[in-house]
Amino acid sequence: MGRFSSNGNPFLIERPEGGFTYFRNVPPRLKSVLSGEVKLPWSGARRSIGGRGTIKIALGTRDLQLARKRWLDVHPQVEGHVEAATLRTMQTARPIAVRAVSGLSPSEIEHIANRYYRQILSGDDDEVLRRDQLADRTELVLEEHEGLATDRDAVIAARRIAHTRELDVLRRALQEPERFDFEGSSRIPTLAALRAEGHSDESARAIRQSFEDVLAESEIGEVLADNGVSLPRDHIDRARLSLAIARAGVRAHEDVLRRLDGAPVETPPPLPVLMPPVMDAGPSLRDAHKSWIDQQSPSAKTAEEYGVYVERFISACGDIPIRSITKKHVLAYRDALSLFPRNIPSDLRSASVTAIQEWTAKNNAKLLARSTINDKAIGSISAILAVALKHDHIQTNPCLGTKFLLKEGEVVERLPYSDDDLKALVRSPVLAKGKRYKAGGGEAQKWLPLIAMYTGARLEEIGQLRVIDVLFASKPGDVSFFDMETIDDTPGQETRRKTRSSRRCVPIHKKLIDRGFAGYVEAQRKAGSVRLFPELSPYRGKITHGFSKWWGRYARKSVKDSRKTFHSFRHRVTDQFRNQVRPADGILQAILGHDKTDTTSGYGSGFDLETLNEALQRLDYGPEI
């Protein structure tokens, strides 16, 4: 095991002269590939790791409780770098996978426990025969007591202390086997403690999950994998195995201590693994990506973007079958991308992860935002694996719970346009003086912001409208509306929807009619135009790609705050409804195309157009806008 120090936290060492240090040995195979920085939140400093046989980070305190808190800041970062280095060393290996089994028989549990017992005694043999490669647990004790690896008596004393500690842990495990299977649980803050520190329920749960990802190094999970099998955490046979492993470990460490006292305890002969890992474990991530495209029919741009992240995952973790992908792979992939630049040069986009990281460090480039890694890098892999899960290619989605826990300031908050912003925009050259810019897509530069202001619709939803999607009332009492429900795959007039709930019909506000929208639509109809805004130029499957960039430049002249974008119209409509219209529950969701948030709202066929129209027409920004 070798993950416990005397105070219960792995790698947390109290120095003889006082004060605490995070001390960790680096396996020789990782020394040349381990690299990265560890941020120390309490001081703002950063520590580089890698290239040495140990990681030593002073925690700057003599207080154990404060040291444990700082350990929680340091350990997840170091763990991520170590996992990334470990996976880099595996990239050239043939892909293997453990087998998911439905249960373990008593004889199989006994077999695995006997292998565990034998491995501990065999490891002790290696330590005696190869004194230049002491076990991690022995080196940790030597560090604590400032002993030398060349001092035979000091090494024997360190081995005795190390095995005694392991023995104490295993004896506790006999009383709480479930804790043995989840060693980090005692060091994860409780929800109550996090709430007391001012965290919301959502934030507290996210924090606990982030710690689980790095602390829950399951001894039983490793033992199972070493025997070529896997079992769900809540399986009763896994609990039985935990108890058997704890008992085998107690016997083994007691026998090692007897050896140190001179007893001739023999190491049993080797035992085969329970089930050799299989070499062909189903589809690869590339296969899963192709299946996702077939099932979801994404735009060409989205499919290409997801493909880029698939290749980066493979570059970071190896081309392994999706059944072999674990949470640790995803965490390593996540942390590898945290060293990527915000903007990758075009000649490096197909380069390896390591090459891109090296370029980033050499050029001191601004790093990719962690929110982007969460939403795009992990989000794309998670979406692909979600389809694989649906088709029983995998049992769980390993991406769950792997996103960075974002701190205040890391989340790019989109703010709504204020009254002053809207006044500035409607008085700007395009809307007030009829000026048109080449990159603005013709009349789209006038109507897209106005439609967004009076519907709250997403930019791409508006941009992809066809002339036939705009239906005006033919007689009194009818409702004019945008058809944002129909999906069409016809080349040249494709319509796609972001989510199922985004398929909807949205009434046309009278302010748009007053500004001449009906006349514009009729002119497009007579001209034989398919698209309502034919001068928008599609790019990689997205109609408003160019317009979005143009609007960012144009609107920034009137609205300086970079947190305000075209999507700020949608935020403003949401606020306007809440504060002014105050519609019945669900009406705002229906107009905006948001997911239903409760069971009741999922019943029936939804609100009729008349009800939605009555609410929408009450949307009013005042006479100056």
Side-chain angles (χ1 to χ4, degrees):
M1 289 163 41
R3 291 198 293 272
F4 280 83
S5 57
S6 58
N7 51 64
N9 288 62
F11 318 121
L12 178 59
I13 302 302
E14 185 174 9
R15 300 189 300 275
E17 70 276 13
F20 289 88
T21 294
Y22 184 93
F23 176 88
R24 182 168 185 170
N25 286 308
V26 177
R29 71 184 188 283
L30 300 185
K31 184 177 177 180
S32 63
V33 294
L34 177 64
S35 64
E37 282 190 339
V38 176
K39 184 176 181 181
L40 311 182
W42 61 88
S43 66
R46 292 177 179 271
R47 294 286 183 270
S48 295
I49 63 173
R52 296 182 294 274
T54 58
I55 297 170
K56 296 181 182 180
I57 301 174
L59 300 182
T61 181
R62 294 172 179 262
D63 180 75
L64 177 59
Q65 295 306 313
L66 181 56
R68 283 174 171 158
K69 288 183 178 180
R70 291 180 176 178
W71 177 92
L72 288 170
D73 288 317
V74 169
H75 179 66
Q77 298 180 67
V78 175
E79 185 71 13
H81 292 312
V82 170
E83 289 300 331
T86 301
L87 290 170
R88 279 198 290 272
T89 66
M90 297 166 54
Q91 288 181 21
T92 57
R94 290 184 67 193
I96 62 173
V98 297
R99 300 176 184 177
V101 294
S102 59
L104 294 172
S105 68
S107 62
E108 289 173 331
I109 290 175
E110 181 182 9
H111 180 90
I112 294 174
N114 286 338
R115 286 194 76 239
Y116 185 78
Y117 170 85
R118 194 262 175 195
Q119 286 169 349
I120 293 173
L121 292 183
S122 176
D124 180 64
D125 289 341
D126 292 341
E127 195 167 12
V128 171
L129 296 172
R130 305 180 64 182
R131 294 184 180 179
D132 58 328
Q133 293 188 15
L134 298 178
D136 284 353
R137 55 177 171 258
T138 304
E139 287 199 1
L140 286 170
V141 175
L142 282 173
E143 171 73 14
E144 290 178 41
H145 294 81
E146 297 188 320
L148 299 176
T150 55
D151 185 337
R152 180 177 178 276
D153 291 338
V155 170
I156 291 175
R159 289 172 58 207
R160 187 183 301 277
I161 293 172
H163 284 283
T164 300
R165 289 178 179 175
E166 298 290 337
L167 190 55
D168 289 342
V169 170
L170 288 163
R171 283 171 175 162
R172 291 198 302 270
L174 291 175
Q175 306 303 318
E176 298 180 279
E178 71 283 356
R179 289 278 293 276
F180 179 49
D181 194 14
F182 183 21
E183 296 170 341
S185 60
S186 63
R187 293 183 293 283
I188 296 178
T190 64
L191 288 175
L194 291 168
R195 291 191 192 102
E197 293 180 4
H199 293 280
S200 66
D201 282 353
E202 181 179 1
S203 174
R205 293 182 188 282
I207 290 172
R208 280 181 57 82
Q209 181 63 59
S210 71
F211 285 138
E212 283 188 19
D213 294 339
V214 295
L215 295 180
E217 297 180 355
S218 171
E219 187 78 9
I220 302 306
E222 293 176 5
V223 170
L224 284 166
D226 186 50
N227 280 272
V229 296
S230 67
L231 272 177
R233 172 157 298 195
D234 57 355
H235 198 291
I236 185 60
D237 288 345
R238 183 160 173 151
R240 294 189 177 106
L241 179 63
S242 298
L243 198 57
I245 290 296
R247 288 169 177 164
V250 167
R251 294 200 320 273
H253 289 290
E254 285 178 340
D255 283 345
V256 171
L257 291 174
R258 290 175 56 217
R259 280 180 173 181
L260 291 170
D261 289 333
V265 179
E266 294 291 337
T267 298
L271 292 171
V273 298
L274 183 65
M275 295 183 185
V278 293
M279 302 307 295
D280 182 10
S284 67
L285 189 57
R286 290 191 183 99
D287 294 331
H289 177 228
K290 293 176 183 176
S291 178
W292 172 80
I293 293 174
D294 292 339
Q295 294 292 322
Q296 303 299 112
S297 300
S299 67
K301 177 177 180 292
T302 300
E304 182 181 347
E305 286 181 348
Y306 277 39
V308 168
Y309 287 114
V310 165
E311 293 306 317
R312 286 178 185 162
F313 185 97
I314 292 171
S315 178
C317 302
D319 191 10
I320 55 179
I322 57 175
R323 289 180 188 169
S324 298
I325 297 175
T326 66
K327 185 171 286 189
K328 286 190 175 183
H329 289 94
V330 181
L331 290 172
Y333 161 69
R334 179 198 73 180
D335 293 339
L337 293 191
S338 69
L339 299 177
F340 265 42
R342 186 157 296 185
N343 296 299
I344 300 177
S346 57
D347 59 339
L348 273 181
R349 286 176 184 165
S350 299
S352 69
V353 164
T354 302
I356 295 174
Q357 288 175 334
E358 290 174 350
W359 182 91
T360 305
K362 181 179 179 180
N363 291 274
N364 197 27
K366 192 171 184 178
L367 295 179
L368 189 63
R370 300 205 305 175
S371 58
T372 301
I373 295 173
N374 282 353
D375 296 340
K376 294 188 175 181
I378 297 179
S380 59
I381 302 300
S382 181
I384 291 170
L385 293 181
V387 171
L389 177 64
K390 182 179 178 182
H391 290 84
D392 294 325
H393 292 306
I394 54 177
Q395 290 188 319
T396 59
N397 189 334
C399 293
L400 297 179
T402 61
K403 291 185 177 181
F404 281 117
L405 176 64
L406 300 181
K407 299 178 181 179
E408 186 176 354
E410 285 190 289
V411 179
V412 181
E413 183 181 8
R414 296 301 181 202
L415 299 181
Y417 283 133
S418 65
D419 282 350
D420 288 340
D421 297 332
L422 293 181
K423 290 176 186 177
L425 290 171
V426 298
R427 293 170 184 169
S428 66
V430 166
L431 296 179
K433 300 178 182 179
K435 183 175 178 60
R436 298 293 179 263
Y437 295 85
K438 183 178 180 180
E443 291 305 298
Q445 55 199 292
K446 170 185 177 180
W447 291 114
L448 263 62
L450 289 176
I451 293 172
M453 191 187 305
Y454 288 104
T455 63
R458 302 173 180 90
L459 175 58
E460 185 69 5
E461 290 177 331
I462 304 171
Q464 70 180 357
L465 284 170
R466 303 164 302 176
V467 173
I468 61 173
D469 294 329
V470 186
L471 294 96
F472 291 104
S474 58
K475 62 180 184 296
D478 286 351
V479 176
S480 300
F481 66 93
F482 295 105
D483 178 359
M484 295 183 178
E485 182 175 24
T486 301
I487 293 178
D488 194 336
D489 292 326
T490 304
Q493 59 182 49
E494 300 93 341
T495 56
R496 301 181 185 276
R497 309 302 171 196
K498 183 177 181 181
T499 62
R500 181 176 298 178
S501 59
S502 66
R503 297 182 61 179
R504 66 202 188 281
C505 293
V506 181
I508 299 175
H509 199 286
K510 59 186 177 183
K511 289 286 188 179
L512 296 175
I513 305 296
D514 293 343
R515 288 178 179 265
F517 183 60
Y520 171 75
V521 175
E522 183 59 26
Q524 294 304 310
R525 197 187 313 276
K526 289 181 178 179
S529 176
V530 174
R531 293 289 186 193
L532 188 58
F533 305 108
E535 292 183 58
L536 291 176
S537 300
Y539 176 73
R540 294 167 66 184
K542 189 173 182 179
I543 291 174
T544 56
H545 175 85
F547 177 90
S548 178
K549 292 183 177 298
W550 171 81
W551 179 261
R553 299 189 300 270
Y554 174 76
R556 194 64 63 232
K557 298 174 184 177
S558 302
V559 182
K560 304 300 181 183
D561 193 332
S562 61
R563 294 171 296 176
K564 297 180 179 181
T565 65
F566 192 92
H567 206 67
S568 296
F569 285 119
R570 186 168 171 85
H571 285 283
R572 177 55 192 270
V573 169
T574 301
D575 283 350
Q576 199 75 9
F577 264 85
R578 289 171 178 160
N579 300 325
Q580 178 201 55
V581 180
R582 298 191 179 96
D585 290 344
I587 287 182
L588 178 57
Q589 291 174 311
I591 291 175
L592 295 178
H594 278 157
D595 290 331
K596 299 176 176 63
T597 57
D598 55 54
T599 301
T600 304
S601 60
Y603 281 75
S605 57
F607 296 96
D608 57 33
L609 270 174
E610 289 75 13
T611 301
L612 298 180
N613 187 55
E614 191 277 330
L616 186 70
Q617 299 306 328
R618 286 189 282 137
L619 187 68
D620 186 7
Y621 298 105
E624 295 186 66
I625 298 175

